[in-house]
């Protein structure tokens, strides 16, 4: 089973018991807190971590978050959602990356 810490389903003791043919739990990313390590060990499963496999995705996600804050995206989204559009109020607190 290949999983990530952000997968919507944790690898619990119950899930491990139901997966009788499972031999390897591979987590793509950092951390294995989404896997019941005691249950995996009791079942003789190997748990391996591929650290660094998602560094590009993490970097892209953080860059997106920076842009969301710099460009004042959330207040603009709220305005649009409420049927408004006061671009002056949005751009007043919006910043560019150029020259930073």
């Amino acid at each position: 089973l290949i999983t990530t810490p952000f997968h919507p389903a944790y690898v619990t003791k119950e899930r491990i018991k139901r997966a009788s043919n499972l031999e390897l739990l591979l987590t793509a990313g950092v951390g294995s807190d989404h896997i019941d390590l005691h249950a995996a060990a009791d079942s003789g499963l190997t748990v391996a971590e591929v650290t660094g496999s998602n560094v590009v995705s993490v970097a892209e996600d953080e860059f997106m978050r920076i842009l969301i804050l710099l460009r004042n995206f959330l207040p603009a989204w709220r305005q649009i959602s409420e049927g408004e559009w006061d671009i002056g109020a949005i751009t007043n607190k919006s910043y560019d990356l150029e020259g930073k």
Side-chain angles (χ1 to χ4, degrees):
L1 173 66
I2 300 174
T3 184
T4 70
F6 309 110
H7 194 272
Y10 285 87
V11 183
T12 62
K13 182 178 183 176
E14 294 76 24
R15 287 193 171 112
I16 290 171
K17 281 184 180 181
R18 283 187 275 159
S20 59
N21 293 327
L22 190 60
E23 296 178 13
L24 172 67
L25 290 168
L26 181 64
T27 180
V30 178
S32 56
D33 59 345
H34 60 291
I35 298 172
D36 186 333
L37 295 175
H38 294 294
D42 291 345
S43 297
L45 294 174
T46 299
V47 178
E49 185 176 297
V50 184
T51 304
S53 64
N54 61 343
V55 293
V56 171
S57 296
V58 170
E60 289 172 347
D61 183 71
E62 291 310 308
F63 189 70
M64 178 188 68
R65 291 170 193 265
I66 291 168
L67 289 175
I68 284 171
L69 292 172
L70 281 172
R71 302 301 293 175
N72 210 22
F73 176 81
L74 291 177
W77 178 80
R78 281 189 206 108
Q79 272 193 13
I80 293 168
S81 297
E82 295 169 1
E84 301 174 17
W85 184 241
D86 182 358
I87 195 159
I90 299 303
T91 58
N92 185 36
K93 296 179 183 176
S94 179
Y95 303 93
D96 291 328
L97 284 177
E98 184 178 0
K100 305 288 188 270

